Amino acid sequence: MPFPAFPTGTVPRAASALLLTLAVATAAPAAARAEAAVLDQVFDAHEFTLDNGLQVVVIPDHRAPVVTQMVWYKVGAADEPPGKSGIAHLFEHLMFKGTEEIPPGEFSKIVARNGGSDNAFTAADYTAYFQNIAADRLDLVMRMEADRMANTRLDEQTVLTERDVVMEERLSRVANEPSALLGERVDLALWTVHPYRNPVIGWEHELATLSRDDAIAFYRQWYAPNNAVLIVAGDATVEQVRQLAQQHYGSIPRGPDFNRERVRDLPPPADSRVVMQHPRVSQASWSRQYVAPSYALGEPGEAYALQVLSEILGSGSTSRLYQELVVKGRVAVAAGSFYRATAVDFGTFGFYGTPAADRTPEDVEAAIDAEVERLLTDGVTAEEVELAKQRLKAGLVYARDSSQSAARTIGAALATGSTLDDVQAWPRRIAEVTPEQVMQVARKVLRGSQSATGVLLPQAPAAAAGGTVPPATAAGDRAG
């Protein structure tokens, strides 16, 4: 997939017709230049930096009197100190617990009373906070967001109470969700020593030890304007945002210089396999992930070629996997591929499938392996590559329809080391992908030996009849 908010599935034929193919562009240079100019400015984004290091991006869109404000911090679960997994996500919760100006729990209520909505999310590489609100309330949410950037209060009882909330969240979203439990085990098998191995929500035994001192240290280390990106998308002008950003964020002191020191080593290549049985599972599933190049790590052009490869192999109902496994072979009721390119370190390329009623995960695995081998042996056609590029670029046009989608796309890119120019150049770089590049990176990733396969199965009847169901956190799972 492209930068995160870009849809990669099939689009209406009429939308695809709006975009020229590379072949047509080659035959008509003037038309190609015009298309490139339009697509390069699809977000019409502008950027500047305050004296304290805060990077600001403005994406004007005056079709409706609303704005999205997002603040992205360049810190996520992969940046946590050893033994402190979950602190990034816990601190996301703590940012809503008040300042001297805003009482605990009032931040979201104030936004709601002004007709808006807000939320936040934490990932491996970043943490982001956002509000969607009427354009004439931009001054209000900027003042509130800047206030908690600098003045979040962290008393002992608040930290411990919110830590209990996060532990309960882990219980409901992970410990009682077989697919999430399997996902954790697969990540451990794939990443081993790299910090991507740790779940964003944290390991239970480490969560239980997090303290107020940990939260304060994390806040002081990472939450500063020179480690943040402010994005305003919607009914606002560059000069308006510049004035408000300077007024509200400009006086916040610059923090220390930031260095995301991480273990980037990977263990010797190995193909790992994790099989889990669980009494809550009614439908078996299969998946496989490979360590892959990303925008940040890889040879020039590899990430874009992998996006085209994923579009051909497993994106939508016209993809090879869907057609061969679901439509023709009826081996699976769902099958596809995925690719994560936006990362500080490595990306991931993978496959998934849900077996049909009379089939098994092994049948799905064999069918996907056969399709991958056919691709590696026979290659991709020029027509497949051109159609995939058209669909990807058409999805980018649709992404512009939402100010929040544009803000998320650009924010995730900037928070992981890409530049605004990289985002704006994405259509050109996709257009430059050739069949030869697709096959070169396909062989590099899919014939490598850095993968992890996950199989999720219903609990075996004999085990279920034993009278005692093991705890959900480890129910009947086995690694193979």
Side-chain angles (χ1 to χ4, degrees):
M1 62 182 291
F3 287 97
F6 303 171
T8 60
T10 56
V11 298
R13 193 171 299 169
S16 294
L18 294 175
L19 297 164
L20 300 176
T21 64
L22 187 61
V24 172
T26 303
R33 286 195 297 272
E35 181 199 34
V38 171
L39 286 173
D40 272 1
Q41 295 302 316
V42 68
F43 287 120
D44 187 26
H46 310 264
E47 66 177 329
F48 57 89
T49 302
L50 301 186
D51 291 342
N52 59 9
L54 179 67
Q55 184 178 8
V56 184
V57 177
V58 186
I59 313 167
D61 182 351
H62 304 293
R63 292 174 296 175
V66 295
V67 292
T68 295
Q69 176 187 230
M70 299 193 79
V71 174
W72 297 72
Y73 293 94
K74 299 176 185 179
V75 59
D79 300 296
E80 296 165 335
K84 304 294 182 182
S85 67
I87 187 63
H89 178 241
L90 172 60
F91 197 82
E92 174 210 313
H93 281 236
L94 294 173
M95 282 281 276
F96 289 86
K97 295 306 171 183
T99 66
E100 290 289 343
E101 296 292 327
I102 302 174
E106 283 296 309
F107 190 102
S108 296
K109 293 178 182 178
I110 294 171
V111 173
R113 284 198 296 267
N114 282 272
S117 61
D118 75 311
N119 215 322
F121 53 88
T122 306
D125 292 316
Y126 47 72
T127 309
Y129 304 82
F130 67 90
Q131 301 87 39
N132 301 310
I133 203 163
D136 63 0
R137 301 295 194 275
L138 178 59
D139 177 80
L140 171 67
V141 294
M142 269 206 185
R143 175 169 58 83
M144 293 168 61
E145 195 65 76
D147 180 36
R148 66 177 176 180
M149 177 185 283
N151 302 309
T152 293
R153 298 175 63 179
L154 298 169
D155 64 79
E156 183 80 18
Q157 188 57 49
T158 296
V159 173
L160 296 182
T161 298
E162 208 58 33
R163 185 186 69 185
D164 290 343
V165 170
V166 173
M167 292 183 69
E168 182 64 30
E169 183 182 347
R170 178 180 167 81
L171 178 65
S172 62
R173 294 187 178 183
V174 179
N176 289 318
E177 289 292 336
S179 61
L181 283 172
L182 179 65
E184 286 189 346
R185 309 260 165 103
V186 169
D187 283 343
L188 280 172
L190 182 65
W191 298 110
T192 60
V193 296
H194 189 278
Y196 285 160
R197 72 196 293 272
N198 292 322
V200 170
I201 201 168
W203 299 110
E204 182 178 7
H205 66 284
E206 293 183 354
L207 270 175
T209 67
L210 295 180
S211 67
R212 176 176 179 267
D213 288 343
D214 294 326
I216 291 174
F218 189 82
Y219 187 34
R220 290 175 176 170
Q221 181 177 0
W222 296 105
Y223 277 64
N226 51 313
N227 195 46
V229 180
L230 166 65
I231 300 180
V232 176
D235 192 17
T237 66
V238 176
E239 285 310 310
Q240 176 192 8
V241 173
R242 188 191 303 273
Q243 177 184 350
L244 290 173
Q246 183 60 48
Q247 176 185 346
H248 295 302
Y249 293 95
S251 62
I252 301 175
R254 182 186 182 93
D257 292 334
F258 291 90
N259 183 14
R260 303 179 93 167
E261 296 179 354
R262 294 183 180 177
V263 175
R264 276 190 168 177
D265 297 335
L266 290 174
D271 292 322
S272 303
R273 188 177 190 87
V274 180
V275 180
M276 178 183 288
Q277 293 181 334
H278 199 288
R280 290 179 180 267
V281 174
S282 59
Q283 173 66 65
S285 63
W286 177 94
S287 66
R288 176 176 294 151
Q289 296 184 52
Y290 294 84
V291 175
S294 65
Y295 289 124
L297 291 182
E299 297 299 321
E302 286 185 331
Y304 306 97
L306 281 169
Q307 289 164 24
V308 174
L309 175 65
S310 183
E311 185 72 24
I312 292 170
L313 269 176
S315 182
S317 60
T318 61
S319 67
R320 286 191 179 193
L321 291 178
Y322 190 91
Q323 285 294 309
E324 293 300 322
L325 273 72
V326 179
V327 177
K328 297 177 184 178
R330 299 192 177 182
V331 175
V333 295
S337 63
F338 56 90
Y339 172 51
R340 181 178 70 95
T342 304
V344 169
D345 295 327
F346 306 96
T348 50
F349 192 99
F351 303 100
Y352 64 90
T354 303
D358 58 342
R359 298 301 189 113
T360 67
E362 289 74 21
D363 295 331
V364 171
E365 180 175 12
I368 290 179
D369 284 345
E371 283 304 306
V372 170
E373 188 56 38
R374 181 168 73 90
L375 175 127
L376 294 177
T377 301
D378 300 339
V380 294
T381 67
E383 180 182 14
E384 282 182 307
V385 171
E386 291 306 320
L387 289 174
K389 293 191 293 189
Q390 285 188 45
R391 291 194 297 270
L392 288 168
K393 291 192 290 180
L396 173 59
V397 173
Y398 272 83
R400 184 61 179 90
D401 282 343
S402 165
S403 60
Q404 185 171 339
S405 175
R408 288 181 70 111
T409 295
I410 292 175
L414 299 184
T416 52
S418 294
T419 67
L420 187 57
D421 286 342
D422 290 329
V423 178
Q424 299 286 46
W426 183 87
R428 281 204 317 272
R429 292 172 181 171
I430 285 292
E432 293 167 355
V433 173
T434 66
E436 292 75 20
Q437 288 174 315
V438 172
M439 290 312 304
Q440 182 178 7
V441 76
R443 294 185 180 103
K444 175 179 178 178
V445 173
L446 302 180
R447 280 192 171 149
S449 295
Q450 198 73 36
S451 72
T453 299
V455 182
L456 189 60
L457 300 170
Q459 184 75 59
T468 301
V469 177
T473 53
D477 57 275
R478 56 187 177 85

